[in-house]
Amino acid sequence: MAEAITVSGPVSGTDKTLTLETGKFAPQSMGAVVASIGGTKVLTTANAAKSVRDGMDFFPLTVDVEERAYAAGKIPGSFFRREGRPTEDAILTCRLTDRPLRPSFPEGFRNETQVVTTVLGADQVNPHDVLSINAASAALMISGIPFDGPIGAVRMAYSQEGEWIPHPTFDEAENGTFELVVAGRELDDGDVAVMMVEAGGSENAFYYYDDGAKKVTEEVLGDGLQACKVWIKESIALQRQLLASVIATKGPIEQMKWTPVLDYTPEIFAAVERVASEGMAPAIKISAKADRNEAVDAVGADAVAQLCGDDGEFPGQSKQVKEAVRSLMKKMVRRRVLDEGVRIDGRGPADLREISAEVGVLPTAHGSGLFQRGETQVMNVLTLAMPRMNQMIDSLSPNNEKRYLHHYNMPPWANGETGRVGSPKRREIGHGALAARAVLPVIPNQQDFAYTLRLVSEVMASNGSTSMGSVCSSSLSLMDAGVPVRSHVSGIAMGLIYEDGKYVTLTDILGAEDAMGDMDFKVAGTEDAITALQLDTKIDGIPADVLSAALAQARDARLAILDVMNEAIPATRDEIAETAPKITTIYIPLDKVGEVIGPKGKVINTIQQETGADIGVDDDGARGIVTIGAVEAWRMEEAKMAILNIVDPPKAELEGVYMGRVVNITKFGAFVNILPGRDGLVHISKMGGGRRINAVEDVLELGQEIEVRVDEIDDKGKVSLTPTSPLGGDGDASDGGGSNGGGRERRSRNDRAERSDRDDAPASDNGAVATDVVEVSFEDSFDAELEGELGDLGPKSERPKPDRDGGNRRGGGGARRRHR
């Protein structure tokens, strides 16, 4: 086995070390690097095809992230107990890795290229996503694949004390107010050009703000973009050190041979510019997307007819001519913005399109909002549910549950096109995650608002930043549903055009401006704090001061959008929507959880059946958490009172009379529920009012209601009861009491006395008098045994004991027997 080549470097300001290693794993891969921080370790490989597939008109770069459950010491939770489709976290890491890599390949490179990150170790302390970016760049650097690197990346957390923490742990990020992931390249002058930014507020950010933490504003974020350069440079320096070590050990890296694939030749573009410029000029000034596309297509068709016919300059090259027409449009749009300050639809660089906002668009939904900006229209629908609907997460992160879900759908008809409709693609997952990240900081935590929340953004029409439209419509639907969010969150997409050292920032970009510009920059936030940011570039990088200026321009647009949203609904509604379940949470002692649930769930199921409420019971290790929900509030309140009565049942009054219900029957008596959560014992000896009862079932049945009096309450709270009237029939204390509580008539003592010839002794089989009979009574010993087990059994019956013939000789287990 070959020896590994390893380089390590400290992470400034921390006790962490970043390590890059190659040569040990994946020896047949063109490039393979293992990157690690702490116990988190990823293997990233880079490979490219030797030739270009026929007809390839784009750069086929694929980035995959393979999460292995063994990395975190887990077995997959799926039915098959093996990894299946990528998790949402894996897909987001794919996108995070892809975005700074893609613009770093040379123009015309069309060889299929694949970068795969396999997570080998996840210590549940250090995230692996930023490691994937650094490892991918390093693997490409040593692979021989044409790549304009290295690219460095760092995650930073903004602490409550106002400091940026590089490569934070999960706990450090959770305890901070904001996270910032930045990737960039080092320029010749030593500065760092930013290529990708992914940022968002933490779940508890606004709670920390309430406690005095500094809010993340545009100025704070600009400082973060400057601060990140230190650690980006450290990563780049470590990659260069690894490259130098590989060359020193194995010799120069052989660069792969490739042939640039051009969409058209300079000659074709010159011809297209000559014949199509006059027609293209008015076409790019049409505001409506569909009309503009139709006009541009007509210009292209005319150019193809002139240049590709039998008598044309480029017969049979219509595809190349169409590509040249598209490039001509891009060139003319950009020049118009740079030279005249006028955009496709006639707006200036900082102008917003027309904006509208509406709530309550779906009467059956718990909350709904509709937001439209120009030709972009997004409807968001909110559903509230019990906490048991929280999503279980089977991933490598320490988080295993999610209560706030945001799903994004964009069907092909939103663009007036046809296409596949079905499961979400990576783009939809990424846009949904961005919208979720923007809104999450204003969502109340589960202690303050027990619901599980699912927001679904339905893109109805698209022409520029549907993800930011999702942010705005989500904020509207949350307030419409009565969720106590801190404030509205608005979002805006910014663009940038750069040529000849001149930067022009565009507010509220169209889809065409996104495709033809050099930057896609999205910012979301409240009136006084940023909650999310995402940036991608198509050029080598953007100076931090340009980004800071773009942030300030975006703030003006966000505030203008907030004004429109506040007109639609200025604050969250006072009550939860009528169609939504009403939920309350109560906390109970941990030792009471079993009583609330009952054996095999009997108690809690009974409460749910009687009240119609939905009840969930959980604990946090220190206390029980009971969540009660129902659409009708009265059902919720009834269930809540039932549970509180179990946890802290009302006290019975001595000598008090109650109408109770029999809830349990034993051989020695019956337990009667007299108050919510409070039962008492009616001993069998007290049931007949002086008559003997042989079996409790003879006079009582489960569920029967009887009136009882409280005789005694001991120091442990046990209650002794006596029926206010005899059970099983009427009679005085001298009556014998049959098996049915007096149902069978008994002979009196005087009647039995007349049989004096039998009173002296029982007769034997041959008629002689038996003199060896011993009479034994277990009544006293039985009562003594019960008293030791249950406590005082109450006052004894005043009924005199019957003589030896006065008992029920046929009774089922009477107290008197004869032993020889």
Side-chain angles (χ1 to χ4, degrees), residues 292-590:
R292 182 174 63 252
N293 290 341
E294 184 179 352
V296 171
D297 290 342
V299 172
D302 184 61
V304 169
Q306 292 186 53
L307 300 175
C308 300
D310 294 339
D311 299 331
E313 299 177 51
F314 308 102
Q317 299 186 53
S318 59
K319 183 177 180 180
Q320 291 87 336
V321 170
K322 290 179 182 178
E323 291 294 334
V325 170
R326 192 170 294 113
S327 294
L328 175 63
M329 176 187 177
K330 178 178 179 179
K331 178 181 177 180
M332 295 180 68
V333 166
R334 292 168 62 90
R335 289 312 317 173
R336 188 179 181 216
V337 172
L338 290 168
D339 296 341
E340 303 175 27
V342 180
R343 299 160 63 178
I344 292 178
D345 55 1
R347 286 182 293 149
D351 293 343
L352 278 165
R353 289 174 288 176
E354 184 180 356
I355 298 169
S356 64
E358 183 180 349
V359 296
V361 292
L362 297 180
T364 58
H366 298 166
S368 58
L370 182 67
F371 179 82
Q372 184 158 348
R373 187 184 60 247
E375 293 180 297
T376 294
Q377 184 187 69
V378 183
M379 179 179 70
N380 185 273
V381 184
L382 170 65
T383 304
L384 300 171
M386 290 283 289
R388 68 178 61 189
M389 294 304 293
N390 287 3
Q391 182 181 8
M392 303 303 294
I393 301 174
D394 190 19
S395 71
L396 301 185
S397 74
N399 301 321
N400 55 18
E401 190 177 74
K402 185 161 62 172
R403 66 179 282 258
Y404 167 55
L405 315 174
H406 196 133
H407 298 146
Y408 168 101
N409 299 310
M410 181 172 164
W413 48 259
N415 279 314
E417 301 171 350
T418 60
R420 181 177 70 87
V421 176
S423 58
K425 300 175 281 294
R426 289 187 176 186
R427 177 185 178 277
E428 290 176 308
I429 290 174
H431 279 43
L434 174 59
R437 190 181 309 116
V439 178
L440 176 62
V442 302
I443 299 289
N445 61 30
Q446 192 136 24
Q447 287 72 33
D448 294 340
F449 191 71
Y451 292 87
T452 296
L453 303 91
R454 181 187 184 231
L455 292 98
V456 180
S457 293
E458 302 284 0
V459 179
M460 299 295 179
S462 173
N463 186 13
S465 192
T466 53
S467 62
M468 293 298 97
S470 296
V471 171
C472 299
S473 60
S474 298
S475 185
L476 293 168
S477 67
L478 284 164
M479 285 197 176
D480 181 50
V483 178
V485 293
R486 299 302 186 102
S487 63
H488 270 308
V489 179
S490 65
I492 191 65
M494 310 293 290
L496 183 131
I497 294 178
Y498 168 72
E499 277 188 16
D500 302 328
K502 183 178 181 180
Y503 295 90
V504 177
T505 303
L506 306 178
T507 295
D508 184 17
I509 56 174
L510 304 173
E513 290 173 331
D514 184 8
M516 298 177 188
D518 299 316
M519 179 186 75
D520 180 14
F521 184 29
K522 299 169 183 173
V523 191
T526 64
E527 184 176 356
D528 54 0
I530 290 178
T531 59
L533 183 145
Q534 186 181 89
L535 179 145
D536 294 299
T537 66
K538 302 172 188 176
I539 53 180
D540 289 344
I542 299 173
D545 59 337
V546 174
L547 291 180
S548 297
L551 280 170
Q553 185 171 322
R555 173 178 168 78
D556 295 336
R558 286 195 302 104
L559 295 180
I561 295 172
L562 282 174
D563 289 340
V564 177
M565 295 170 64
N566 283 323
E567 288 179 6
I569 179 168
T572 190
R573 298 195 189 280
D574 295 333
E575 296 182 353
I576 295 296
E578 290 185 3
T579 53
K582 312 303 181 292
I583 293 181
T584 187
T585 300
I586 56 178
Y587 300 94
I588 64 176
L590 202 57

Side-chain angles (χ1 to χ4, degrees), residues 78-133:
S78 66
F79 178 82
F80 297 101
R81 291 296 185 265
R82 70 167 298 163
E83 293 82 4
R85 60 178 296 177
T87 66
E88 184 172 306
D89 284 349
I91 291 173
L92 296 176
T93 303
C94 291
R95 290 171 58 85
L96 198 68
T97 305
D98 179 290
R99 285 157 49 193
L101 297 182
R102 190 171 292 273
S104 300
F105 290 89
E107 186 177 356
F109 182 66
R110 300 287 174 84
N111 297 49
E112 185 174 2
T113 304
Q114 186 176 40
V115 175
V116 181
T117 291
T118 304
V119 184
L120 302 179
D123 62 5
Q124 307 291 285
V125 175
N126 299 285
H128 63 263
D129 51 1
V130 170
L131 276 181
S132 175
I133 302 173

